[in-house]
Amino acid sequence: MDVSAISSTEDDDITPAAVIKDIARQQLVKRGAAGLSLDAVVRDGGLPAADVEAVFPHRDDLLTALVIDAYDASGAAMEQADRAAAEGGASGGARLLAVTRALRRWSFENPAEFTLIYGSPVPGYDAPQDTVPAASRTPAVLAGIVRSALEAGELTPPRRSVPGPPLLLPEAVQLFGGAPGAPFEDVVERGMVLWSGLIGLLVFQVFSRTHDSVRDEAAFFDYAVAVSAESIGLVVPLAGQTG
């Protein structure tokens, strides 16, 4: 296949970069991110090496493109779920459940891409700053829901606050839209705990760490999200619960 010929097709979405990335994603499934190489893409795709290197000169350039795509795709899934929930008049807790379910669904449908962004680091690869905007989409969705819930009076004040000065960098507080006043001055820190717990839970489920101890993993996921949300004073509605 001649990659350069693809740009002349009628489908504007099929670009040389898109073809190469599709082949590379197949490599992720077969060999994992650590086994990805331009040589493998050339060999498996039947592509001229010069054409591949013209788009992605180095393996790390291709990895970065795949990382950005994975973050963008997972973030878009969450954003779409949140828009639908918000337009339906859902509470903050219901919106949180909707977006975390969307991320879970994307993770199980795309385990190789999930592993790429949330699994073990790829030896010799350091993600550049180019990946930061895409990676920020997930916490931005969570922060938006918490901020809306705070402004709507849906949060319950915490029983204890984080002692001492703020623990987060200014960039994290800026993503939330500024530090709230008392008694919610540490809600951004609590949101970080929620975010990290969500990713850890997904790692457990996608990598089958809970399948032999949990009867219903989807229901357990909802329960875990609800428990985590309690730390920021947000009630997540669960099926079968009243009051």
Side-chain angles (χ1 to χ4, degrees):
M1 180 186 299
D2 185 351
V3 177
S4 62
I6 296 175
S7 60
S8 64
T9 64
E10 295 180 358
D11 190 341
D12 293 336
D13 292 332
I14 302 179
T15 64
V19 172
I20 295 168
K21 288 189 291 184
D22 281 345
I23 298 169
R25 290 188 187 95
Q26 298 172 24
Q27 293 294 318
L28 291 180
V29 175
K30 294 177 182 178
R31 300 181 175 90
L36 179 67
S37 69
L38 295 184
D39 288 342
V41 171
V42 168
R43 181 180 62 252
D44 289 6
L47 307 175
D51 287 355
V52 173
E53 293 174 358
V55 181
F56 298 108
H58 304 285
R59 180 211 64 165
D60 287 4
D61 300 319
L62 178 55
L63 266 177
T64 295
L66 295 175
V67 167
I68 291 173
D69 282 357
Y71 276 128
D72 276 337
S74 58
M78 296 177 70
E79 291 162 0
Q80 182 178 0
D82 189 38
R83 282 194 299 270
E87 289 171 0
S91 66
R95 288 172 61 187
L96 179 64
L97 187 60
V99 302
T100 54
R101 282 175 171 175
L103 181 58
R104 181 180 188 270
R105 183 164 53 252
W106 178 88
S107 301
F108 274 94
E109 291 174 352
N110 304 275
E113 286 87 345
F114 174 85
T115 302
L116 175 64
I117 57 178
Y118 292 124
S120 300
V122 180
Y125 174 73
D126 292 318
Q129 284 294 112
D130 293 353
T131 63
V132 172
S136 299
R137 292 176 71 168
T138 290
V141 173
L142 300 176
I145 292 172
V146 175
R147 167 64 73 176
S148 294
L150 175 62
E151 294 173 350
E154 297 180 11
L155 298 188
T156 301
R159 286 179 291 181
R160 57 176 294 186
S161 59
V162 176
L167 300 176
L168 300 182
L169 296 174
E171 293 82 359
V173 179
Q174 182 179 2
L175 180 65
F176 185 74
F184 298 104
E185 62 268 25
D186 64 352
V187 73
V188 184
E189 284 90 341
R190 292 174 181 273
M192 288 282 289
V193 173
L194 173 67
W195 174 31
S196 58
L198 169 64
I199 301 305
L201 175 62
L202 286 170
V203 167
F204 260 57
Q205 293 210 330
V206 173
F207 298 157
S208 298
R209 298 292 189 267
T210 56
H211 74 281
D212 57 354
S213 56
V214 174
R215 181 180 296 111
D216 185 333
E217 291 194 82
F220 181 79
F221 177 86
D222 290 354
Y223 164 79
V225 169
V227 171
S228 298
E230 289 181 356
S231 68
I232 57 174
L234 187 61
V235 175
V236 170
L238 297 179
Q241 288 189 345
T242 59

